[in-house]
Amino acid sequence: MDTEVIVVGAGPTGLMLACELGLAGVRPLVLERQAERSDTPKAGGLGGQVLELLRHRGLLERFEAACTGPAPAPKFPFGGIHLDLTGLADPPLRALPLPQQRLEELLEQRADELGAEVRRGHRVTGIRQDGTAVTAEVLGPDGPYRVSARYLVGCDGARSQVRERAGIAFPGTAYPEVTGWPRSPSPTR
Ligand SMILES: Cc1cc2nc3c(=O)[nH]c(=O)nc-3n(C[C@H](O)[C@H](O)[C@H](O)COP(=O)(O)OP(=O)(O)OC[C@H]3O[C@@H](n4cnc5c(N)ncnc54)[C@H](O)[C@@H]3O)c2cc1C
């Protein structure tokens, strides 16, 4: 066994999991196919109870220090609606403007501090499992290799190949305006 836990994907979910595992004394291996963090603008911040959860985890202060606007933000986009919180003396909902790319950077820093190893440019191309271990086939910058662990967690996004390869269904319906969903099988995004 090479490691205890392999996390596939270094998005917010995989990195947060790496931090949680680190707090529990586990040093996961995080495999991320992208060599560089994406600069596509995605989520613009955090809001609601997650902020208190982050405080419990010792993460809120560094997020607040990195936020890109006044915190708590006086307004917050929620779906298509912009909530105006300025009329409330003690707003129950707090919002923190923090672009997803920056959030991922901070989570990765924290995961690193807690002992996780994040390998960028390493794509998981296959998974095998027996009674004791799971083995990931990986294509890294220096070529293909294998790594085994007691657990492998798919944090590889909405079109998770780990989920597909594990035979886990993704039931549900999509809004008709979401085009190309469900997708036809494709190994790349
Ligand atoms: C254009 C855009 C705008 C968005 N805007 C908002 C917004 O305004 N508000 C909001 O709340 N959310 C927004 N989102 C959604 C938000 O970005 C996602 O909910 C969030 O990124 C999900 O995090 P995740 O870690 O689960 O998955 P992801 O961020 O998708 O991370 C998955 C990671 O897994 C990696 N990966 C995939 N396959 C493999 C593999 N085989 N091997 C190794 N690594 C792999 C991917 O490269 C990726 O880095 C937006 C998303 C997009 C695309």
Side-chain angles (χ1 to χ4, degrees):
M1 206 94 65
D2 299 305
T3 187
E4 185 76 6
V5 182
I6 297 169
V7 177
V8 185
T13 307
L15 291 170
M16 188 69 202
L17 175 63
C19 293
E20 291 291 290
L21 288 169
L23 287 172
V26 176
R27 298 184 167 196
L29 170 63
V30 183
L31 298 171
E32 166 56 52
R33 67 181 175 182
Q34 305 282 1
E36 302 289 336
R37 196 170 291 112
S38 164
D39 59 3
T40 304
K42 296 181 183 170
L46 300 162
Q49 289 304 311
V50 71
L51 296 180
E52 287 312 309
L53 294 175
L54 290 169
R55 189 192 303 283
H56 284 301
R57 288 304 194 236
L59 277 165
L60 188 60
E61 280 182 8
R62 69 176 76 189
F63 282 12
E64 283 177 339
C67 79
T68 52
K75 296 184 180 180
F76 188 64
F78 184 78
I81 305 166
H82 281 252
L83 295 177
D84 185 350
L85 307 173
T86 52
L88 300 171
D90 185 15
L93 176 66
R94 297 180 63 234
L96 195 69
L98 182 66
Q100 183 169 331
Q101 190 187 15
R102 183 77 178 112
L103 174 133
E104 289 176 13
E105 196 181 328
L106 294 172
L107 284 177
E108 189 166 334
Q109 273 172 18
R110 178 67 172 148
D112 179 64
E113 288 164 17
L114 292 167
E117 181 186 355
V118 182
R119 291 186 195 163
R120 291 195 164 271
H122 293 248
R123 175 197 292 268
V124 172
T125 56
I127 299 162
R128 285 186 294 108
Q129 165 171 263
D130 60 26
T132 53
V134 56
T135 302
E137 289 162 23
V138 186
L139 183 59
D142 298 325
Y145 66 97
R146 290 183 178 154
V147 62
S148 64
R150 195 173 301 278
Y151 300 97
L152 181 145
V153 190
C155 298
D156 49 339
R159 299 174 184 191
S160 168
Q161 295 207 353
V162 172
R163 184 183 61 238
E164 282 182 12
R165 290 195 160 113
I168 299 167
F170 191 22
T173 55
Y175 290 112
E177 56 270 44
V178 180
T179 54
W181 190 279
R183 69 184 177 114
S184 52
S186 158
T188 54
R189 283 173 69 191

